Amino acid sequence: MLVEMNRAARPTALTIAGFDPSSGAGMTADLAVFTAHGCFGTSAITALTVQSTLGVRRVQATDADLLAETLAYLQEDLPPAGVKIGMLANGDLVRVVADYLRTVRAIGQSVPVVLDPVVVSSSGSLLLDAHGLAMLQTQLLPLVDVITPNTDELQLLTGTTCSDEPAIRSAMAALQAEGSDLAIVATGGHRPEPDDIVLHKGEFHVLRGRHVATKATHGTGCAFSSAVLCGLLSGHSVVQAAERAKRYVEGAMTYAEPLGRGHGPMRLDWRSLRLDR
Ligand code: PLP
């Protein structure tokens, strides 16, 4: 018997990110998160990495013209309802992405943009150079709606030490320029209390987390920021989207398979598992 299918178009979510061949982080993980949340995913690659669960060996940034052409061609045919930005590698690619966002903004549609300010991998490799970080702060930040730094990234972006919650809150307030609508979700997965703090429209919100004892922590930042974008595309507020993304990532760590010899991938489709069997 033919099953009546719902042919309503899913929202298109674009990820601008690096390629991790081990599928734990970067654009392949982002696409898995989009699918798990009922979004159709497109992607523009900023860098190839030689990488496994044991770490990053090598990074090869994409040619800036190739990235610009990819974004322009996708925009003509599959304009995204929302954009997630991850690894950007260098200042030339940050400039391309900022130019692209300006054209999207000029069209006038409301397209939520979530930036995961990836600078260093958890295995210690540099994924954004110093020029890229400076460009991200001056060119990209004014064009995004939500930024999701972890504590290390917040320190790099603000030049302050974020040793405890009050210090994190003042760094967040400093990052949010006066009058700007930028929402900041400071992720705390690596801290002793794995709580996230959201600063949106002048108010702080604390999202309590629970520690999951697992080695499957590779790509948690990528998956979280992609899930936040999907929440926004479903009509949730920033705080609700961050709360839902946090629960999603906790589940993805909880149900992860033991893969690889290092920090393995999460189970990004865990919600479709038959957990009663
Ligand atoms: N590789 C790529 C391509 C990424 O985009 C990222 C994440 O942001 C990473 C590696 C780093 O992931 P992790 O810090 O979980 O190792």
Side-chain angles (χ1 to χ4, degrees):
M1 198 176 71
L2 281 176
V3 178
E4 193 55 37
M5 302 243 309
N6 179 1
R7 287 174 187 273
R10 294 170 289 169
T12 295
L14 165 66
T15 171
I16 304 173
F19 178 70
D20 165 10
S22 68
S23 296
M27 47 114 355
T28 43
D30 294 341
L31 293 179
V33 175
F34 293 163
T35 303
H37 286 80
C39 290
F40 172 67
T42 55
S43 53
I45 297 187
T46 55
L48 297 178
T49 67
V50 176
Q51 180 170 189
S52 75
T53 66
L54 297 170
V56 180
R57 275 216 175 144
R58 186 172 155 190
V59 171
Q60 175 76 56
T62 299
D63 172 73
D65 290 339
L66 185 69
L67 180 64
E69 204 177 319
T70 303
L71 291 170
Y73 205 41
L74 279 178
Q75 184 64 29
E76 277 176 30
D77 188 44
L78 297 162
V83 182
K84 175 255 159 91
I85 303 166
M87 175 184 176
L88 288 168
N90 62 44
D92 289 345
L93 298 185
V94 175
R95 179 185 41 74
V96 166
V97 174
D99 288 346
Y100 167 68
L101 292 183
R102 275 187 215 100
T103 61
V104 170
R105 295 290 187 226
I107 299 167
Q109 286 161 328
S110 147
V111 175
V113 178
V114 178
L115 171 66
D116 178 16
V118 177
V119 184
V120 183
S121 75
S122 25
S123 53
S125 293
L126 196 65
L127 302 180
L128 179 68
D129 66 17
H131 178 226
L133 182 61
M135 292 279 290
L136 182 146
Q137 283 165 302
T138 55
Q139 304 287 311
L140 209 52
L141 267 194
L143 293 163
V144 308
D145 300 294
V146 183
I147 182 169
T148 61
N150 61 27
T151 310
D152 292 343
E153 291 158 352
L154 191 60
Q155 293 194 157
L156 283 168
L157 287 166
T158 59
T160 57
T161 308
C162 298
S163 45
D164 54 17
E165 198 179 310
I168 290 172
R169 286 181 184 235
S170 46
M172 291 170 75
L175 186 60
Q176 193 180 53
E178 193 113 343
S180 110
D181 272 346
L182 177 71
I184 303 167
V185 184
T187 60
H190 297 88
R191 290 194 291 124
E193 261 132 46
D195 302 335
D196 294 353
I197 305 172
V198 183
L199 175 57
H200 188 214
K201 297 191 171 150
E203 278 186 35
F204 284 99
H205 308 258
V206 177
L207 311 177
R208 298 277 170 223
R210 66 177 171 88
H211 255 304
V212 180
T214 180
K215 276 171 75 188
T217 53
H218 182 39
T220 43
C222 304
F224 178 78
S225 51
S226 297
V228 169
L229 176 65
C230 293
L232 297 176
L233 291 177
S234 299
H236 296 293
S237 68
V238 171
V239 177
Q240 287 168 336
E243 172 75 37
R244 294 169 76 92
K246 191 163 182 63
R247 301 304 152 225
Y248 169 71
V249 171
E250 283 174 355
M253 286 192 286
T254 304
Y255 295 108
E257 307 137 286
L259 284 172
R261 287 182 289 135
H263 289 283
M266 293 180 287
R267 185 77 201 228
L268 296 173
D269 65 345
W270 67 277
R271 284 202 178 121
S272 62
L273 296 173
R274 289 279 311 274
L275 300 175
D276 54 332
R277 279 194 296 191

